[in-house]
Amino acid sequence: MTGPVVADVLVVGAGPAGAIAAAELARHGLRTVLVGQDDGAADHDLVLSGAALRGLESVGATGEVTARAVEAVELRLGPGDGHVLPEAVSAVCGRRPLLDGLRRLAVAAGATWLPSIVTDPVRRDGAWHASTIDTMPPGADRTGDAGGVAVVARHLVLATGAPPAAASHATGLLCARPYRGVDLTASIVLALPAPRTIDPAERPTCVWAVPGTRAGTCTIGASRLGPADPDELLQLALAVLADGDPRFAAAVPAGPAVTGALNSGFSPENSVQDGRLLVGDAAGLVNPFTGEGLSYAVQSAALAARAIADHREDADAAGRAYARRLSATFVGYFETATHAARRYHLAWRVLVATAGDERPVSAKVRRAVLTPEGFSGLTAADLMPLPAADVALLGPFLLACDEVAVRTVRAEWPFIARLLIAGEDAPHQRLRPAVPFYAALLAGGKPPDAAMATLAAAIELATLGALAFLGPMPPRAAPGRRVDWAVASTVLAGDFLLAQASRLVAASAPEVSWSFADWLGEVAALRAARLDPAGRSRAGEVFAALLEFPSRIGAQLGGAPPEAVAALREFGSHSGHAFLHAEEVLALRGERTRLDVTLPGMLAGRLSAIPDVLPGIAGGLLAGDPDARAAAMDVAMTGCEDAHRAALAALGDVGDPVSARMLRSFVTTLCAPSAPPPE
């Protein structure tokens, strides 16, 4: 044992979370020691979700990781055909190359890697004291320095993976094994088998198959909350995949099975324990439905590094900052998955009923439960360019709005909290209905009352409630004494949101209750008018109403002059039309729309104004007719540009320069998928 190594941060665990945390800490100029041995597990292929890919890119790790893009994720719920998840973006890579690449990244950034194990660290005199034991045989090829030293560090990050499964609703088993003889090349299969018993407390089982890096190979895996036998679980996985899918009938094991504990018991308050910052699996950041944890490992490692870098001299302050950032990033997500796991029978039936449903809220809920893709407000992750002075004004108001909205729905419907939160990345610059409401409040020339954040939360809840009823309705259920779970979940979610929004308005701004009720009635009437298949879609009018109200009511409450109120009403209406046309542009390009609806879904759900302008074009668009697509694109682009131009013109009667600047940025970002209007 040599003399102690003095560091700023000791990272225990050299898996993906630990290696990324060490790399990010070293990049911030912190002396970092990464300690972790090779776990000896066999190599196999694993999934890199869209969130994991973005996380790896954000920390500069893509150059160290060789991944192969996968065209689709196929969701199978019980027997029958699968459904492609259009919102899922994925790739596959080998587990061993991923670990080796991330460790090289940490060393290249300046971290010291000790391929060792650590005895229990002890905190005394404001520092952590630990001893390492070298586990590599003499003469082995080392990427980092030898172990067998003492380490003293101010901060401690634990990335030691999941502890052995305990008797808890949040713990279970993960296992995976490579197979050959399977022609799986272009898609990942994600299967949720039907509940095995009638016990309402049964926990979920998830099965997946990942294309291998060599032709004719794949990795098959499974996870289950609660007690499980790995051999039985892998046999079940193979049986579930082979049922109705001949690709898996000839699967033959091509290597040993890899088994590990599953810990999905995440909560922000438990992510810091006695000064230790827990990241990845150690913090319980694993989806209890699918067993996916890599994306959360990447995100939590980066958040921990940032918290420590911001509080280098105060480990306790770093811990508090880390817990806050985890809460802001993952609020509602793990409550959603845990609630669903505890009610697997109900959740499974709703997921089955809405598996192919392209209504916006159904797609977003499916993503909130099954995938790690983030969701931020009405229009996803688009960011408005704002000067720092505007950010300083808008940011606290939007954070207060989020706090009210999340507190209102989190206990009963945690997935809605997940849909509402703006996340860690520039939440003050997200496109959302609260932005035009706040900017319209400013049009009166004075700072808005902070209490107006409650009304802003009500507007956003009501907007989501309205979206719940938009899009193609599911097929009518077969007659008999059975529950139509797709319709029931839609009605329950929509009614809950509208009821909570109305309650917030009555409690915080009773003077606008009548106007608020009129707005909800107008939107309901527009939805009802759209049901006539021979009539116009009125889709543009629906979105115009959704953005007109926050702009108009904000101007009235802020004391804006009448001409400004009228101008902001026009602005909101034109912005709604612009948003719809921008969605059409994205859908026609085959890109992911901000409502998570594909072109066929937009047409079937009457969420497009194109058929109103070009009657009879829907068939050509669905058939892939290039002439029909070109004509439709021209209509959508022209419509977006015209609405954009009209919205900007309306701002000419808004006297307050800050208000006009925010709104100009809002509508310009809203129209970003289309070409900018001419000067």
Side-chain angles (χ1 to χ4, degrees), residues 400-411 417 420 454 503-504:
C401 171
D402 282 345
E403 183 178 349
V404 172
V406 169
R407 187 172 63 244
T408 300
V409 304
R410 187 173 187 171
L420 291 167
T454 300
R503 182 180 64 79
L504 288 178

Side-chain angles (χ1 to χ4, degrees), residues 277-488:
L277 275 61
L278 278 60
V279 297
D281 290 7
L285 283 162
V286 175
N287 185 318
F289 254 93
T290 65
E292 202 277 341
L294 180 59
S295 63
Y296 315 118
V298 176
Q299 293 177 75
S300 61
L303 292 176
R306 192 184 311 171
I308 292 173
D310 290 346
H311 302 278
R312 300 170 184 242
E313 304 302 321
D314 190 338
D316 293 329
R320 292 191 295 270
Y322 177 55
R324 286 195 304 271
R325 286 169 173 162
L326 283 177
S327 181
T329 302
F330 298 118
V331 65
Y333 182 89
F334 284 89
E335 289 117 323
T336 295
T338 301
H339 279 221
R342 289 176 176 174
R343 299 166 178 82
Y344 185 47
H345 283 249
L346 173 61
W348 189 83
R349 285 169 173 78
V350 172
L351 287 170
V352 168
T354 60
D357 190 345
E358 283 210 74
R359 285 168 296 156
V361 171
S362 295
K364 294 180 187 303
V365 171
R366 188 164 54 240
R367 180 147 51 90
V369 174
L370 294 178
T371 75
E373 304 294 322
F375 175 83
S376 301
L378 174 63
T379 51
D382 296 331
L383 298 180
M384 300 179 295
L386 292 172
D390 291 358
V391 169
L393 287 173
L394 182 60
F397 183 85
L398 295 182
L399 291 175
C401 171
D402 282 345
E403 183 178 349
V404 172
V406 169
R407 187 172 63 244
T408 300
V409 304
R410 187 173 187 171
E412 296 181 63
W413 290 73
F415 83 83
I416 296 176
R418 177 64 179 166
L419 302 189
L420 291 167
I421 198 67
E424 175 74 11
D425 183 19
H428 45 272
Q429 294 175 251
R430 301 286 184 182
L431 285 172
R432 47 192 294 186
V435 173
F437 175 70
Y438 178 83
L441 286 170
L442 284 177
K446 57 184 179 182
D449 186 342
M452 288 298 169
T454 300
L455 182 55
I459 290 171
E460 297 207 326
L461 289 174
T463 300
L464 273 178
L467 290 177
F469 295 103
L470 295 178
M473 289 302 294
R476 185 181 296 274
R481 294 176 58 85
R482 61 180 66 189
V483 176
D484 189 332
W485 291 106
V487 173

Side-chain angles (χ1 to χ4, degrees), residues 16 46 48 56 65 93-103 294:
L46 47 78
L48 293 178
L56 291 171
V65 178
C93 72
R95 177 181 176 275
R96 172 59 53 195
L98 175 69
L99 287 176
D100 292 344
L102 293 178
R103 289 167 182 166
L294 180 59

